[in-house]
Amino acid sequence: MIERDIPESIADRLESMDKNKRKEFLDSYHKALVEPGEAVGTIAAQSIGEPGTQMTLRTFHYAGVVELSVPLGLPRLIEIIDARRNPKDPRMIIHLEKDIRKDEKKANEMAKKLLEVFLPDICDMKIDVKNNQLRIETNDEDIKKVLMKYTEDETGGDVYVIEKESLYDLKKIQNKLAKKRIRGVKGIKKVFIRKEGDEYVLYTNGSNMKVVYGMSGIDKKRIISNDIRQIYETFGVEAGRNIIVNEAVKVLEDQDLDVDIRHIMLVADQMTVTGEIQAVGRQGISGSKESVLARASFEETEKHILMAGLRGEVDTLDGVPENIIIGQPIPIGTGMVKLAIKSSLAPKKPIEGKKETAGENKVLDGKVSDVKKKIEKLDSADYKALIEAEKKGENRKTLLKWLESQID
Amino acid sequence: MDNELVPKHEILDEKEVEKLLQLYNVTPRQLPKIKEGDPGIMGLDAKIGDIIKITRNELVVGRNIYYRVVVRD
């Protein structure tokens, strides 16, 4: 390989080197390159899959008012690779803007702004069964605004009363009110403030990238979530790819597993080739392959074959599974290359000493028994010519004898 | 998009496009894709068919360049 065939990112590094160093560098660069035809995908799959067998299969469950389960290890890795829309444990790390970074008060304010607060969290709600009344006691301005829609009479300032004829209607209203979000950002269930160095950082349980990114007072450069879909939607494919790599690496590092990052990068790149995030599996990469046979060999065989029949799909047999199915060499490694030769270099006579037989005597090709059958089928055979041809050609004695016997 | 997760996106000019396609012996259709409305290329004024050069800063690998073609949403 010549120097100009080197990708830009490598070529930049060469500039500062002298001749010897450059040669050494290029040598090791070429050595490090993957050979053409190497089955990198299979190797990546195995390299992630084998350590995967040693990961925790557990999902941690926290008992409590709201059931919370935190997937670690394999379950989390599966979440990442499947590009799930709603991960079990979404989190955000929010840094604050430069001028309020070191202000604990401002950090607390921000946390308050983020934290999702529901109506029953901050007020007393009681059903008075005797009088068919729902009494809500509060002094919160935000709640008052919400309650205005339901009731008009403001008895004694802080107490709101909703009256309905049946208890059932009252309960219905109560349930509705219980789900009303008074403050905060949808989905942010908890906010912790941690001091890192001399700045305050907010860690949240629950993630809502779109809304939080639009808020003021937040360092937009460093805001991060572990929800792959949300990152993709707000920052684009490249950020989505990066978060896939980062999250997968985090999981593997957590479990003390040593997987080369390049395998993960390959998976992440493959998940984002189309410009959006695709899961690995029948909904994503495997399900959108071009070849019918490759898709059918993975999952939902009948569906794919049936639809291919209806649409008249053509399989060009470019991939591995389809060639395994029909029993051909697979296009991997040495199977990728085909032999070609310049016609000027080709030997004049066929190889293996097979002498050329005249065009009219193709009948003589093949096994003796086959040749006999072929000749018998002919209406009129010129046996003398055939004998001559056979003598020049393979000169099989049994065939010659038979041919002579046929003359009579 | 100004976030540490978003690497630098640039539009390649024609000369560089030709060089790139020759180096990897590919057609633009074979390159990875990026949607026209992707937040990463917002403000670049990229048209469908343009090739975007992405300068990534990878964890172990370091500086790495990737290319994507702009496609319809």
mmCIF file of all heavy atoms in Angstrom, chain A residues 206-237:
data_model
loop_
_atom_site.group_PDB
_atom_site.id
_atom_site.type_symbol
_atom_site.label_atom_id
_atom_site.label_comp_id
_atom_site.label_asym_id
_atom_site.label_seq_id
_atom_site.Cartn_x
_atom_site.Cartn_y
_atom_site.Cartn_z
ATOM 1 N N GLY A 206 -34.922 9.411 36.001
ATOM 2 C CA GLY A 206 -35.895 9.822 35.003
ATOM 3 C C GLY A 206 -35.230 10.796 34.066
ATOM 4 O O GLY A 206 -34.315 11.505 34.452
ATOM 5 N N SER A 207 -35.666 10.777 32.833
ATOM 6 C CA SER A 207 -34.990 11.594 31.837
ATOM 7 C C SER A 207 -36.003 12.235 30.902
ATOM 8 O O SER A 207 -36.980 11.603 30.510
ATOM 9 C CB SER A 207 -34.025 10.705 31.053
ATOM 10 O OG SER A 207 -33.532 11.387 29.945
ATOM 11 N N ASN A 208 -35.789 13.474 30.609
ATOM 12 C CA ASN A 208 -36.597 14.158 29.611
ATOM 13 C C ASN A 208 -35.718 15.195 28.925
ATOM 14 O O ASN A 208 -35.716 16.361 29.268
ATOM 15 C CB ASN A 208 -37.809 14.817 30.291
ATOM 16 C CG ASN A 208 -38.824 15.264 29.272
ATOM 17 O OD1 ASN A 208 -38.492 15.516 28.114
ATOM 18 N ND2 ASN A 208 -40.066 15.361 29.688
ATOM 19 N N MET A 209 -34.978 14.704 27.958
ATOM 20 C CA MET A 209 -33.971 15.527 27.308
ATOM 21 C C MET A 209 -34.571 16.756 26.653
ATOM 22 O O MET A 209 -34.056 17.855 26.788
ATOM 23 C CB MET A 209 -33.270 14.672 26.256
ATOM 24 C CG MET A 209 -31.906 15.127 25.934
ATOM 25 S SD MET A 209 -30.899 15.055 27.392
ATOM 26 C CE MET A 209 -29.424 15.770 26.801
ATOM 27 N N LYS A 210 -35.650 16.540 25.919
ATOM 28 C CA LYS A 210 -36.207 17.627 25.112
ATOM 29 C C LYS A 210 -36.524 18.841 25.960
ATOM 30 O O LYS A 210 -36.202 19.964 25.601
ATOM 31 C CB LYS A 210 -37.463 17.129 24.400
ATOM 32 C CG LYS A 210 -37.184 17.040 22.930
ATOM 33 C CD LYS A 210 -38.363 16.685 22.105
ATOM 34 C CE LYS A 210 -37.824 16.355 20.724
ATOM 35 N NZ LYS A 210 -38.598 15.375 20.029
ATOM 36 N N VAL A 211 -37.186 18.616 27.096
ATOM 37 C CA VAL A 211 -37.612 19.743 27.927
ATOM 38 C C VAL A 211 -36.425 20.353 28.663
ATOM 39 O O VAL A 211 -36.233 21.567 28.661
ATOM 40 C CB VAL A 211 -38.694 19.277 28.924
ATOM 41 C CG1 VAL A 211 -39.079 20.417 29.844
ATOM 42 C CG2 VAL A 211 -39.905 18.766 28.172
ATOM 43 N N VAL A 212 -35.607 19.488 29.265
ATOM 44 C CA VAL A 212 -34.509 20.009 30.083
ATOM 45 C C VAL A 212 -33.506 20.779 29.223
ATOM 46 O O VAL A 212 -32.969 21.793 29.632
ATOM 47 C CB VAL A 212 -33.811 18.864 30.853
ATOM 48 C CG1 VAL A 212 -32.659 19.404 31.672
ATOM 49 C CG2 VAL A 212 -34.798 18.160 31.755
ATOM 50 N N TYR A 213 -33.298 20.298 27.995
ATOM 51 C CA TYR A 213 -32.349 20.979 27.110
ATOM 52 C C TYR A 213 -32.810 22.402 26.804
ATOM 53 O O TYR A 213 -31.998 23.294 26.615
ATOM 54 C CB TYR A 213 -32.194 20.191 25.802
ATOM 55 C CG TYR A 213 -31.108 20.724 24.907
ATOM 56 C CD1 TYR A 213 -29.784 20.520 25.221
ATOM 57 C CD2 TYR A 213 -31.418 21.432 23.755
ATOM 58 C CE1 TYR A 213 -28.777 21.009 24.410
ATOM 59 C CE2 TYR A 213 -30.420 21.925 22.935
ATOM 60 C CZ TYR A 213 -29.101 21.711 23.267
ATOM 61 O OH TYR A 213 -28.118 22.203 22.471
ATOM 62 N N GLY A 214 -34.112 22.616 26.793
ATOM 63 C CA GLY A 214 -34.626 23.944 26.489
ATOM 64 C C GLY A 214 -34.640 24.886 27.673
ATOM 65 O O GLY A 214 -34.944 26.055 27.526
ATOM 66 N N MET A 215 -34.344 24.375 28.865
ATOM 67 C CA MET A 215 -34.409 25.223 30.052
ATOM 68 C C MET A 215 -33.183 26.141 30.154
ATOM 69 O O MET A 215 -32.113 25.821 29.667
ATOM 70 C CB MET A 215 -34.495 24.351 31.313
ATOM 71 C CG MET A 215 -35.866 23.742 31.494
ATOM 72 S SD MET A 215 -35.883 22.470 32.739
ATOM 73 C CE MET A 215 -35.846 23.458 34.209
ATOM 74 N N SER A 216 -33.371 27.260 30.827
ATOM 75 C CA SER A 216 -32.234 28.169 30.982
ATOM 76 C C SER A 216 -31.482 27.825 32.264
ATOM 77 O O SER A 216 -32.036 27.204 33.172
ATOM 78 C CB SER A 216 -32.738 29.613 31.038
ATOM 79 O OG SER A 216 -33.632 29.763 32.113
ATOM 80 N N GLY A 217 -30.230 28.210 32.320
ATOM 81 C CA GLY A 217 -29.433 27.933 33.509
ATOM 82 C C GLY A 217 -28.729 26.594 33.469
ATOM 83 O O GLY A 217 -28.104 26.185 34.428
ATOM 84 N N ILE A 218 -28.823 25.932 32.314
ATOM 85 C CA ILE A 218 -28.227 24.601 32.203
ATOM 86 C C ILE A 218 -27.064 24.632 31.224
ATOM 87 O O ILE A 218 -27.125 25.323 30.203
ATOM 88 C CB ILE A 218 -29.319 23.608 31.753
ATOM 89 C CG1 ILE A 218 -30.010 23.042 32.981
ATOM 90 C CG2 ILE A 218 -28.763 22.502 30.897
ATOM 91 C CD1 ILE A 218 -31.316 22.434 32.676
ATOM 92 N N ASP A 219 -26.015 23.910 31.539
ATOM 93 C CA ASP A 219 -24.870 23.841 30.634
ATOM 94 C C ASP A 219 -25.216 22.885 29.499
ATOM 95 O O ASP A 219 -25.166 21.673 29.658
ATOM 96 C CB ASP A 219 -23.633 23.352 31.404
ATOM 97 C CG ASP A 219 -22.393 23.436 30.544
ATOM 98 O OD1 ASP A 219 -22.528 23.770 29.344
ATOM 99 O OD2 ASP A 219 -21.298 23.172 31.069
ATOM 100 N N LYS A 220 -25.573 23.470 28.346
ATOM 101 C CA LYS A 220 -26.066 22.642 27.240
ATOM 102 C C LYS A 220 -24.974 21.757 26.660
ATOM 103 O O LYS A 220 -25.243 20.793 25.986
ATOM 104 C CB LYS A 220 -26.633 23.542 26.152
ATOM 105 C CG LYS A 220 -27.828 24.282 26.700
ATOM 106 C CD LYS A 220 -28.686 24.915 25.681
ATOM 107 C CE LYS A 220 -29.931 25.364 26.433
ATOM 108 N NZ LYS A 220 -30.746 26.307 25.782
ATOM 109 N N LYS A 221 -23.750 22.131 26.935
ATOM 110 C CA LYS A 221 -22.642 21.379 26.372
ATOM 111 C C LYS A 221 -22.462 20.037 27.059
ATOM 112 O O LYS A 221 -22.034 19.062 26.463
ATOM 113 C CB LYS A 221 -21.365 22.197 26.521
ATOM 114 C CG LYS A 221 -20.620 22.292 25.217
ATOM 115 C CD LYS A 221 -19.395 23.121 25.340
ATOM 116 C CE LYS A 221 -18.506 22.750 24.180
ATOM 117 N NZ LYS A 221 -17.438 23.686 23.986
ATOM 118 N N ARG A 222 -22.760 19.998 28.344
ATOM 119 C CA ARG A 222 -22.426 18.794 29.095
ATOM 120 C C ARG A 222 -23.639 17.982 29.549
ATOM 121 O O ARG A 222 -23.482 17.011 30.265
ATOM 122 C CB ARG A 222 -21.588 19.188 30.318
ATOM 123 C CG ARG A 222 -20.197 19.629 29.914
ATOM 124 C CD ARG A 222 -19.295 19.679 31.080
ATOM 125 N NE ARG A 222 -19.572 20.846 31.910
ATOM 126 C CZ ARG A 222 -19.061 21.019 33.115
ATOM 127 N NH1 ARG A 222 -18.275 20.112 33.634
ATOM 128 N NH2 ARG A 222 -19.335 22.096 33.809
ATOM 129 N N ILE A 223 -24.830 18.404 29.141
ATOM 130 C CA ILE A 223 -26.018 17.675 29.593
ATOM 131 C C ILE A 223 -26.035 16.282 28.950
ATOM 132 O O ILE A 223 -25.768 16.123 27.766
ATOM 133 C CB ILE A 223 -27.292 18.473 29.265
ATOM 134 C CG1 ILE A 223 -28.517 17.753 29.824
ATOM 135 C CG2 ILE A 223 -27.449 18.715 27.784
ATOM 136 C CD1 ILE A 223 -29.750 18.628 29.841
ATOM 137 N N ILE A 224 -26.298 15.299 29.785
ATOM 138 C CA ILE A 224 -26.211 13.919 29.307
ATOM 139 C C ILE A 224 -27.341 13.091 29.886
ATOM 140 O O ILE A 224 -27.763 13.297 31.021
ATOM 141 C CB ILE A 224 -24.836 13.321 29.688
ATOM 142 C CG1 ILE A 224 -23.840 13.583 28.576
ATOM 143 C CG2 ILE A 224 -24.920 11.845 29.969
ATOM 144 C CD1 ILE A 224 -22.482 13.045 28.846
ATOM 145 N N SER A 225 -27.833 12.177 29.068
ATOM 146 C CA SER A 225 -28.859 11.258 29.539
ATOM 147 C C SER A 225 -28.423 9.858 29.135
ATOM 148 O O SER A 225 -27.575 9.707 28.271
ATOM 149 C CB SER A 225 -30.196 11.607 28.884
ATOM 150 O OG SER A 225 -31.100 10.555 29.036
ATOM 151 N N ASN A 226 -28.978 8.830 29.744
ATOM 152 C CA ASN A 226 -28.614 7.491 29.283
ATOM 153 C C ASN A 226 -29.723 6.879 28.439
ATOM 154 O O ASN A 226 -29.689 5.701 28.129
ATOM 155 C CB ASN A 226 -28.212 6.585 30.450
ATOM 156 C CG ASN A 226 -29.380 6.245 31.341
ATOM 157 O OD1 ASN A 226 -30.468 6.761 31.157
ATOM 158 N ND2 ASN A 226 -29.158 5.379 32.292
ATOM 159 N N ASP A 227 -30.706 7.706 28.084
ATOM 160 C CA ASP A 227 -31.775 7.233 27.214
ATOM 161 C C ASP A 227 -31.349 7.448 25.763
ATOM 162 O O ASP A 227 -31.294 8.579 25.283
ATOM 163 C CB ASP A 227 -33.062 7.999 27.529
ATOM 164 C CG ASP A 227 -34.256 7.435 26.796
ATOM 165 O OD1 ASP A 227 -34.069 7.053 25.627
ATOM 166 O OD2 ASP A 227 -35.351 7.366 27.369
ATOM 167 N N ILE A 228 -31.051 6.347 25.075
ATOM 168 C CA ILE A 228 -30.492 6.433 23.732
ATOM 169 C C ILE A 228 -31.433 7.129 22.754
ATOM 170 O O ILE A 228 -31.028 7.967 21.969
ATOM 171 C CB ILE A 228 -30.108 5.020 23.242
ATOM 172 C CG1 ILE A 228 -28.941 4.496 24.070
ATOM 173 C CG2 ILE A 228 -29.751 5.032 21.776
ATOM 174 C CD1 ILE A 228 -28.746 3.023 23.996
ATOM 175 N N ARG A 229 -32.703 6.777 22.831
ATOM 176 C CA ARG A 229 -33.674 7.381 21.903
ATOM 177 C C ARG A 229 -33.786 8.886 22.102
ATOM 178 O O ARG A 229 -33.885 9.641 21.142
ATOM 179 C CB ARG A 229 -35.054 6.750 22.108
ATOM 180 C CG ARG A 229 -35.114 5.316 21.704
ATOM 181 C CD ARG A 229 -35.426 5.179 20.231
ATOM 182 N NE ARG A 229 -35.260 3.797 19.849
ATOM 183 C CZ ARG A 229 -35.349 3.358 18.602
ATOM 184 N NH1 ARG A 229 -35.581 4.199 17.632
ATOM 185 N NH2 ARG A 229 -35.181 2.095 18.329
ATOM 186 N N GLN A 230 -33.792 9.312 23.370
ATOM 187 C CA GLN A 230 -33.915 10.747 23.638
ATOM 188 C C GLN A 230 -32.699 11.505 23.139
ATOM 189 O O GLN A 230 -32.820 12.595 22.574
ATOM 190 C CB GLN A 230 -34.086 10.992 25.135
ATOM 191 C CG GLN A 230 -35.474 10.667 25.625
ATOM 192 C CD GLN A 230 -35.664 11.023 27.088
ATOM 193 O OE1 GLN A 230 -34.821 11.662 27.693
ATOM 194 N NE2 GLN A 230 -36.780 10.578 27.650
ATOM 195 N N ILE A 231 -31.528 10.922 23.325
ATOM 196 C CA ILE A 231 -30.316 11.557 22.824
ATOM 197 C C ILE A 231 -30.376 11.669 21.310
ATOM 198 O O ILE A 231 -30.076 12.706 20.729
ATOM 199 C CB ILE A 231 -29.065 10.749 23.244
ATOM 200 C CG1 ILE A 231 -28.853 10.810 24.753
ATOM 201 C CG2 ILE A 231 -27.837 11.226 22.511
ATOM 202 C CD1 ILE A 231 -28.174 12.050 25.239
ATOM 203 N N TYR A 232 -30.794 10.591 20.674
ATOM 204 C CA TYR A 232 -30.894 10.604 19.208
ATOM 205 C C TYR A 232 -31.845 11.692 18.738
ATOM 206 O O TYR A 232 -31.565 12.417 17.792
ATOM 207 C CB TYR A 232 -31.351 9.229 18.713
ATOM 208 C CG TYR A 232 -31.832 9.239 17.287
ATOM 209 C CD1 TYR A 232 -30.957 9.485 16.248
ATOM 210 C CD2 TYR A 232 -33.174 9.034 16.980
ATOM 211 C CE1 TYR A 232 -31.397 9.519 14.944
ATOM 212 C CE2 TYR A 232 -33.627 9.071 15.691
ATOM 213 C CZ TYR A 232 -32.740 9.314 14.667
ATOM 214 O OH TYR A 232 -33.182 9.363 13.377
ATOM 215 N N GLU A 233 -32.977 11.812 19.418
ATOM 216 C CA GLU A 233 -33.968 12.790 18.974
ATOM 217 C C GLU A 233 -33.502 14.226 19.174
ATOM 218 O O GLU A 233 -33.813 15.089 18.362
ATOM 219 C CB GLU A 233 -35.301 12.544 19.696
ATOM 220 C CG GLU A 233 -36.145 11.510 18.959
ATOM 221 C CD GLU A 233 -37.085 10.764 19.867
ATOM 222 O OE1 GLU A 233 -37.450 11.313 20.927
ATOM 223 O OE2 GLU A 233 -37.466 9.617 19.524
ATOM 224 N N THR A 234 -32.758 14.495 20.244
ATOM 225 C CA THR A 234 -32.349 15.883 20.453
ATOM 226 C C THR A 234 -31.011 16.213 19.805
ATOM 227 O O THR A 234 -30.799 17.352 19.403
ATOM 228 C CB THR A 234 -32.257 16.241 21.945
ATOM 229 O OG1 THR A 234 -31.827 15.102 22.659
ATOM 230 C CG2 THR A 234 -33.579 16.697 22.489
ATOM 231 N N PHE A 235 -30.099 15.239 19.702
ATOM 232 C CA PHE A 235 -28.755 15.576 19.213
ATOM 233 C C PHE A 235 -28.374 14.924 17.887
ATOM 234 O O PHE A 235 -27.324 15.221 17.340
ATOM 235 C CB PHE A 235 -27.704 15.204 20.258
ATOM 236 C CG PHE A 235 -27.836 15.971 21.542
ATOM 237 C CD1 PHE A 235 -28.017 15.312 22.736
ATOM 238 C CD2 PHE A 235 -27.794 17.345 21.542
ATOM 239 C CE1 PHE A 235 -28.152 16.016 23.919
ATOM 240 C CE2 PHE A 235 -27.922 18.057 22.710
ATOM 241 C CZ PHE A 235 -28.105 17.393 23.900
ATOM 242 N N GLY A 236 -29.177 13.987 17.387
ATOM 243 C CA GLY A 236 -28.864 13.401 16.093
ATOM 244 C C GLY A 236 -28.167 12.053 16.165
ATOM 245 O O GLY A 236 -27.816 11.574 17.232
ATOM 246 N N VAL A 237 -27.967 11.440 14.984
ATOM 247 C CA VAL A 237 -27.410 10.085 14.910
ATOM 248 C C VAL A 237 -26.045 9.942 15.546
ATOM 249 O O VAL A 237 -25.773 8.950 16.212
ATOM 250 C CB VAL A 237 -27.195 9.544 13.481
ATOM 251 C CG1 VAL A 237 -28.145 8.442 13.172
ATOM 252 C CG2 VAL A 237 -27.178 10.619 12.446
#
